[in-house]
Amino acid sequence: MKKQFLVLVILFISFQVSAQQKPYWDEIKAFRTQDSIQQPKDGMLLFIGSSSFRMWKTLKEDFHNETIVNRAFGGATLEDLIYWQNDVVLKYKPKKIFIYCGENDIASSEKVTPEIVFERFKTLHTTLRKQFPNTPIVFVSLKPCVLRWAMKDRMMAANALISDYLKEDHKAVFVNIWDKMLENGEPMKDIFIHDNLHMNAKGYAIWTKALNTLVNE
């Protein structure tokens, strides 16, 4: 009996160490703490993905919607989102799920092709559909930005693959944010903060207009 208990203790410690070594553990701990203080109510609008959502500090105010719960984190890739899916999406009962992720996959390595991004998204989508067969899913396309403009071809190709795929899911919507952020065929220069990657209020205003009906319908 003592040996069995010792084995369980070792396994538990190993799991904790492994989790803590995984990227974004601090962010996930913060989400767990928030949920322990006030568990989000069923039927929320759940935003998940990477920093373009995470840094949207005026999300509730922009949509005039207090049911929004933001569980986007860091510079998450689709692989990170899949790894932490139990903490950021599967544990909840959302009315609708909004996703922005995939841009960091492309930026992580030149070896990450649009097809790789697409396969990662399919893995996530399949899991979400098993857990939430009737929940609407909104995927916001990868965005253009000044910093990563050299990667535009791979990003556009990934957008096209995901858009075509979601046409087969009648409860999913692909929102093309890419074209709305271009001016004369290039990213608008005045919609980003100093890093030329993340958006300022003017950039988020474009997103708000594109998503408003889907958030508040």
Side-chain angles (χ1 to χ4, degrees):
M1 195 71 178
K2 289 182 178 180
K3 289 184 177 179
Q4 290 178 333
F5 178 74
L6 182 60
V7 169
L8 288 174
V9 169
I10 292 172
L11 287 173
F12 176 77
I13 292 174
S14 298
F15 174 78
Q16 291 297 314
V17 171
S18 175
Q20 292 176 37
Q21 291 173 343
K22 192 71 177 176
Y24 310 114
W25 171 237
D26 288 341
E27 288 89 337
I28 299 303
K29 281 196 300 182
F31 291 152
R32 292 180 181 180
T33 299
Q34 291 174 35
D35 289 350
S36 68
I37 295 171
Q38 184 174 5
Q39 178 71 18
K41 295 180 180 179
D42 295 352
M44 85 287 276
L45 300 175
L46 184 61
F47 281 63
I48 60 174
S50 57
S51 55
S52 289
F53 271 179
R54 177 181 64 85
M55 296 177 67
W56 199 342
K57 301 302 183 183
T58 57
L59 191 54
K60 291 183 180 181
E61 292 85 353
D62 289 346
F63 291 109
H64 307 288
N65 195 313
E66 290 298 317
T67 69
I68 292 173
V69 174
N70 193 342
R71 288 294 179 264
F73 57 95
T77 64
L78 285 162
E79 285 188 315
D80 296 317
L81 193 53
I82 292 165
Y83 184 86
W84 293 113
Q85 59 191 355
N86 288 321
D87 281 282
V88 300
V89 57
L90 299 184
K91 66 187 289 187
Y92 303 120
K93 294 181 180 179
K95 176 184 177 181
K96 190 176 290 188
I97 301 168
F98 293 78
I99 305 170
Y100 182 79
C101 203
E103 180 184 345
N104 291 320
D105 299 65
I106 293 288
S108 66
S109 171
E110 292 183 357
K111 295 180 180 179
V112 177
T113 65
E115 290 75 19
I116 289 174
V117 175
F118 175 50
E119 289 301 323
R120 292 174 181 177
F121 175 74
K122 281 204 301 184
T123 298
L124 175 65
H125 177 265
T126 299
T127 301
L128 293 179
R129 272 291 163 251
K130 287 180 179 178
Q131 181 81 355
F132 310 109
N134 299 308
T135 302
I137 294 173
V138 178
F139 183 85
V140 179
S141 75
L142 278 61
K143 74 179 194 297
C145 67
V146 178
L147 182 67
R148 294 173 172 172
W149 191 233
M151 308 173 191
K152 64 181 182 300
D153 291 338
R154 285 188 293 147
M155 289 185 177
M156 293 172 67
N159 279 337
L161 289 169
I162 295 171
S163 176
D164 287 344
Y165 174 73
L166 288 181
K167 289 176 182 177
E168 302 300 318
D169 183 347
H170 300 301
K171 291 187 177 294
V173 177
F174 179 91
V175 177
N176 177 11
I177 208 73
W178 184 275
D179 294 338
K180 301 178 189 305
M181 297 175 67
L182 298 179
E183 188 173 55
N184 298 322
E186 295 187 351
M188 297 177 186
K189 303 297 190 295
D190 61 344
I191 61 174
F192 299 99
I193 61 175
H194 60 88
D195 63 6
N196 282 325
L197 170 63
H198 298 101
M199 293 177 294
N200 57 28
K202 187 173 180 179
Y204 281 118
I206 296 172
W207 287 38
T208 301
K209 184 177 180 180
L211 294 172
N212 188 58
T213 300
L214 292 166
V215 169
N216 290 310
E217 63 185 0

